Amino acid sequence: MAAPSFESTYAALPERFHAQIAPTPVAAPRLLRLNADLAASLGLDADWLASRDGVAMLAGNALPDTVRPLAMAYAGHQFGNFTPQLGDGRAILLGERIGTDGHRFDVQLKGAGRTPFSRAGDGRAAIGPVLREYIVSEAMAALGIPTTRALAAVASGEEVHRETPLPGGILTRVARGHLRVGTFEFFASRGDVEGVQTLVDYAIDRLHPEAKGAEVPALALFECVVRAHAALVPMWLGVGFIHGVMNTDNTTISGETIDYGPCAFLDTYHPGQVFSSIDRNGRYAYGRQPGIAAWNLARFAETLLPLLGGTQEEQIAAAQSALDLFEPAFQENWQDVLRRKLGLAERGEASLALATDLLDLMVEQRADFTRTFRALGACAAASDEETTAAASSAGFADPSAFTAWAVRWRARIAEEGQAREAVRAAVLGTNPARIPRNHRIEEAIVAAQADDLRPFEDLVEGLAQPFDDDPRFADLEQAPAPDEVVRQTFCGT
Ligand code: AMP
Ligand code: MG
């Protein structure tokens, strides 16, 4: 078993793009979880990763020769306010691997020690947030949503000091790319147009090759990123995901979901739902995410203006018309997500009206988001009595309201000429039985902090095939009991 080799295209960029810095070794690394499937897709030997040398790498204690560790420079708008220098304060990029799918992936340690970008931070992560990111990012991948992935979680054997001392951990994160809107802002805010140009070329080459050879490459890149986020956010909404910190430094150029801090999933549906303890004004509420994505993309556009050619007015007009692609693309994708969640075949008013009426009903009835849509599987070919039973198990206070809606829904299915059995199969393949519910994540973390990894392992396993009914994981399908409801989530950084 030989150590894997890494490439480093990012390390080859000019010095001001990063700080070359090695991880700070930890006292007693212990592997908590290794993602063998992901390892295989990166051509990495899972046995080596689980070996002494492998765990030493995953902990940042000893790195293979080919690693050129670095922290990436970036800036960002946090809750609307610009900070000209953020950067990887506790993440260290080991390098890149070419996956079996031919794509290039970053492999990064999160919680690997201080870097020149750490500011007041300790460069570390607590086990709680590490496992949280592991659980949620892998669940998102299983749900078919573009996301960074989790290759491994390691306990450091050291304490980190937050409000209280907590066991420390390191996550190995894998991404198509860690470039963020904030990376572009870092250079643009310094008037470094050449730096922005370098990033544009790098991003096109690596992440959006379809923009190659365009008349105005920066504009073509921008359009690709607009489309990627106009596709991503509807997927979030479709599973009830609330990112929680949609700052521009947490907005990827690749279109992957990144930075699972105070993120959460809806139990009962409400568009104004907020969980994050630091989101006091509900800036990043569930229903505000499309508008915030557009706002973040506007900040991206601003960094590209000098590369768009023509007069300043022409630059702004070009950027604006590309940004204007977001709203209709978002609407189209969101309506498509909703239509598929209802198992309907045809786009248009009838499908949309059914979807919005159901969502309105869910708010009114405080229904569980995931359970309601999953229940459609049982209701597609059911009697009214069975439908009422399904609605009450989805949390409808007055299940008859849902039953009346379902009559209209089945009528529409008939009008479309669809077989009910086919609709049943379609909705069960679209609406997950299991999502990472907040109370289950909390439970898994509390147990792991007391050295019991079973709940964490069960959760990870139960979320790997979220569309299959599986009696082994029936408890993961349940909405929280009143005393289990999680009302607030924390960054825990
Ligand atoms: P986040 O809220 O995780 O998106 O992080 C925002 C910024 O804070 C980034 O520049 C991080 O690198 C930095 N940061 C977060 N936690 C720490 C930490 N424990 N030590 C150093 N920097 C940190
Ligand atoms: Mg971040």
Side-chain angles (χ1 to χ4, degrees):
M1 287 192 298
S5 67
F6 289 85
E7 297 181 14
S8 285
T9 57
Y10 211 77
L13 294 181
E15 248 174 58
R16 62 193 192 284
F17 284 73
H18 42 66
Q20 312 237 349
I21 175 96
T24 307
V26 296
R30 181 165 54 93
L31 187 62
L32 299 176
R33 178 91 190 178
L34 179 67
N35 189 338
D37 290 343
L38 182 62
S41 76
L42 295 169
L44 292 169
D45 180 346
D47 290 335
W48 183 84
L49 287 171
S51 73
R52 233 183 110 94
D53 289 350
V55 176
M57 179 184 85
L58 298 171
N61 280 16
L63 304 178
D65 297 343
T66 49
V67 171
R68 294 175 66 189
L70 63 84
M72 292 169 73
Y74 56 85
H77 278 86
Q78 301 177 301
F79 292 90
N81 303 308
F82 186 62
T83 303
Q85 181 162 316
L86 293 166
D88 288 332
R90 57 167 170 165
I92 293 182
L93 184 66
L94 296 183
E96 301 141 19
R97 294 279 305 177
I98 307 298
T100 50
D101 64 358
H103 289 306
R104 180 177 294 272
F105 290 89
D106 282 351
V107 179
Q108 189 196 60
L109 302 182
K110 191 171 169 184
R114 288 181 54 81
T115 77
F117 304 113
S118 297
R119 295 171 293 161
D122 61 2
R124 293 300 187 190
I127 273 183
V130 165
L131 297 184
R132 189 179 171 76
E133 175 156 349
Y134 194 112
I135 295 162
V136 184
S137 64
E138 286 306 300
M140 292 286 270
L143 290 164
I145 298 173
T147 177
T148 63
R149 302 286 306 269
L151 178 64
V154 166
S156 64
E158 294 179 359
E159 278 184 345
V160 297
H161 297 275
R162 298 297 179 254
E163 262 126 55
T164 50
L166 293 167
I170 297 164
L171 180 82
T172 306
R173 178 163 73 182
V174 173
R176 284 290 308 279
H178 280 93
L179 289 184
R180 308 137 193 270
V181 167
T183 320
F184 287 74
E185 290 179 294
F186 180 88
F187 296 95
S189 68
R190 286 163 175 73
D192 184 351
V193 178
E194 201 184 309
V196 178
Q197 178 69 63
T198 301
L199 281 177
V200 166
D201 294 341
Y202 185 87
I204 290 177
D205 222 41
R206 180 162 169 187
L207 301 170
H208 297 288
E210 60 275 38
K212 215 175 273 183
E215 197 181 329
V216 184
L219 187 63
L221 170 67
F222 180 59
E223 287 180 9
C224 289
V225 179
V226 167
R227 286 185 203 287
H229 284 276
L232 180 65
V233 176
M235 292 191 231
W236 289 358
L237 300 182
V239 295
F241 177 74
I242 306 171
H243 182 284
V245 246
M246 286 180 74
N247 295 333
T248 57
D249 53 307
N250 295 334
T251 303
T252 55
I253 300 304
S254 63
E256 294 166 293
T257 312
I258 197 172
D259 257 355
Y260 294 90
C263 65
F265 283 77
L266 291 173
D267 293 309
T268 54
Y269 171 67
H270 195 291
Q273 181 71 50
V274 176
F275 288 98
S276 168
S277 61
I278 55 171
D279 189 4
R280 295 209 176 79
N281 302 315
R283 179 181 169 89
Y284 300 141
Y286 171 83
R288 286 212 175 141
Q289 296 181 112
I292 291 292
W295 191 89
N296 290 343
L297 290 164
R299 304 291 78 75
F300 182 30
E302 285 164 2
T303 72
L304 302 173
L305 291 176
L307 302 178
L308 300 186
T311 64
Q312 204 177 13
E313 271 170 20
E314 287 165 337
Q315 292 166 5
I316 291 171
Q320 186 62 53
S321 60
L323 186 61
D324 288 344
L325 296 171
F326 181 85
E327 178 61 21
F330 166 78
Q331 284 302 339
E332 188 180 326
N333 292 328
W334 175 223
Q335 288 177 28
D336 245 20
V337 165
L338 287 172
R339 180 181 59 74
R340 278 187 277 111
K341 286 184 83 64
L342 299 189
L344 296 174
E346 290 168 27
R347 292 191 173 145
E349 283 305 313
S351 295
L352 184 59
L354 274 166
T356 45
D357 289 352
L358 179 57
L359 291 173
D360 289 348
L361 210 55
M362 285 162 65
V363 174
E364 207 179 282
Q365 299 279 333
R366 302 196 51 74
D368 186 83
F369 185 84
T370 303
R371 291 184 65 82
T372 299
F373 283 104
R374 186 70 181 178
L376 296 179
C379 298
S383 67
D384 282 355
E385 290 75 52
E386 287 162 323
T387 304
T388 304
S392 95
S393 90
F396 276 79
D398 171 15
S400 67
F402 177 82
T403 310
W405 176 88
V407 169
R408 284 171 53 209
W409 175 57
R410 284 192 289 261
R412 183 64 201 152
I413 292 168
E415 270 168 37
E416 284 188 340
Q418 290 205 81
R420 287 178 173 193
E421 207 30 60
V423 172
R424 197 182 98 85
V427 296
L428 292 179
T430 305
N431 299 312
R434 294 176 297 281
I435 50 152
R437 296 213 182 238
N438 309 318
H439 65 299
R440 293 297 180 205
I441 298 175
E442 298 293 322
E443 183 182 72
I445 289 172
V446 169
Q449 284 169 341
D451 271 336
D452 174 10
L453 282 174
R454 268 308 287 274
F456 165 73
E457 282 161 4
D458 287 349
L459 190 52
V460 170
E461 204 190 326
L463 295 170
Q465 308 290 340
F467 300 104
D468 295 353
D469 284 316
D470 188 334
R472 286 179 304 157
F473 302 115
D475 57 333
L476 300 184
E477 298 179 14
Q478 301 304 318
D483 65 328
E484 290 177 321
V485 173
V486 172
R487 302 191 192 281
Q488 221 176 26
T489 52
F490 302 88
C491 267
T493 46

